[in-house]
Amino acid sequence: MTSQPPPPPQPGAQAVPTCYRHPDRETYVRCQRCERPICPDCMRDAAVGHQCPECVREGNREVRQAQATFGGAAVATPRVTWTLLVLNVLAYAAEVLRPDEVVQRFAMWSLGVHLGEWWRLITSAFLHAPPPSFWHILFNMWALYALGPELERRLGSGRFATLYLLSALGGSVAIYLFGTSAVGASGAIYGLFGALFVVARRLGYDARGVLWLIGINVVLTFVVPGISWQGHLGGLVTGAIVAAGFAYAPRHNRAIVQFGIAVAVLVALVLLVTMLPPYGLRLEGAFT
């Protein structure tokens, strides 16, 4: 049995379309965007019909990534908040196991910082009053749990971490200048109080409840004995300044402005420690 070859195309007959990426494959499916013929291997599902790989890549580039309110990637899970909670709990566990060694080496101590033990400015913010006292870490971790997720979603994870650490540093610098020693995340927590007020005002929310919260805690700072008012107020002021820089930065070049403000605050805090002596120790006669 023999077969005849296909007849040559008649003049004016339309050629069979082939995939633009695989010319040896016939296809009658076209990309919904560019209308080029595409074979099954080149088809990408779209909202309607199919698209070619190039149009899919181009569309992905055109889609704007979701952002947090004040810049940075949108936050679905507040991972920085949970990480800070875990670090504080782990540090407290270390205190339970070896309280004297951990506190003596890592607590905030003005004279130690003046003599070059700079790490105390940050490590002290992850320590708390050792057992049998538990209220200190419980209050601070409750406040972090209550305030952290909302602020992290508004600011973005990177900016929230910057706010927290700069507030902690601000509290430690105030202790260095006007106090003697302390432990606790309270400087950072009070920085979150200040940031919450700034963010609420920036978004047009009623901030009176936040003001009451701040006022009550400031009063307790001076009424309850054994609390470092320097660390609380230092963190509060630093947090409010950093949050204002983040929240009120203009949309144009927002990230650059926010980065510059954070660096400026960090430099100012470092200069305060390097250029000034611990006045609190001088008042107590422990430093001359």
Side-chain angles (χ1 to χ4, degrees):
M1 179 178 179
T2 61
S3 61
Q4 297 293 326
Q10 298 296 320
Q14 186 175 8
V16 176
T18 59
C19 177
Y20 81 100
R21 299 178 75 216
H22 304 97
D24 59 330
R25 302 181 186 179
E26 297 179 1
T27 180
Y28 290 91
V29 177
R30 293 179 178 274
C31 173
Q32 293 296 312
R33 294 188 68 181
C34 67
E35 297 189 349
R36 290 180 291 189
I38 49 178
C39 69
D41 289 341
C42 297
M43 295 177 188
R44 303 292 184 268
D45 290 333
V48 178
H50 300 86
Q51 293 183 7
C52 66
E54 280 76 7
C55 287
V56 170
R57 284 195 292 269
E58 184 66 25
N60 290 337
R61 284 196 294 267
E62 293 175 359
V63 175
R64 294 186 61 183
Q65 297 298 319
Q67 286 193 331
T69 307
F70 300 112
V75 176
T77 303
R79 291 186 175 85
V80 171
T81 299
W82 306 140
T83 300
L84 292 169
L85 279 164
V86 170
L87 290 176
N88 276 277
V89 172
L90 290 176
Y92 195 73
E95 288 185 71
V96 172
L97 295 175
R98 310 188 75 170
D100 294 336
E101 181 178 348
V102 172
V103 172
Q104 290 177 8
R105 182 173 297 182
F106 298 107
M108 180 58 204
W109 179 37
S110 299
L111 183 57
V113 172
H114 185 73
L115 296 176
E117 297 175 356
W118 284 53
W119 64 84
R120 295 178 181 272
L121 293 166
I122 290 296
T123 57
S124 60
F126 292 90
L127 302 180
H128 291 84
S133 174
F134 296 100
W135 68 266
H136 193 199
I137 187 172
L138 288 176
F139 173 80
N140 282 341
M141 294 305 97
W142 171 83
L144 178 57
Y145 173 80
L147 304 179
E150 176 65 18
L151 285 172
E152 186 171 349
R153 291 188 178 99
R154 295 291 185 180
L155 298 174
S157 294
R159 290 163 178 78
F160 175 72
T162 301
L163 167 72
Y164 187 92
L165 293 176
L166 285 177
S167 298
L169 181 61
S172 294
V173 170
I175 296 170
Y176 167 80
L177 292 175
F178 307 112
T180 54
S181 61
V183 292
S186 299
I189 297 301
Y190 272 66
L192 300 187
F193 288 157
L196 187 64
F197 173 76
V198 171
V199 168
R201 290 296 303 271
R202 180 68 178 88
L203 296 177
Y205 298 155
D206 187 351
R208 286 177 295 181
V210 183
L211 276 178
W212 274 103
L213 177 66
I214 294 174
I216 291 172
N217 280 277
V218 169
V219 170
L220 291 176
T221 296
F222 291 96
V223 171
V224 178
I227 292 181
S228 171
W229 62 266
Q230 301 92 339
H232 287 192
L233 298 187
L236 178 66
V237 172
T238 304
I241 292 173
V242 174
F246 287 168
Y248 287 92
R251 289 186 175 274
H252 183 64
N253 294 327
R254 170 187 277 171
I256 296 175
V257 173
Q258 292 172 333
F259 177 78
I261 290 171
V263 171
V265 172
L266 175 61
V267 170
L269 293 174
V270 171
L271 288 177
L272 286 174
V273 175
T274 56
M275 303 297 292
L276 298 176
Y279 295 109
L281 292 177
R282 281 188 169 183
L283 294 175
E284 293 190 2
F287 180 81
T288 59

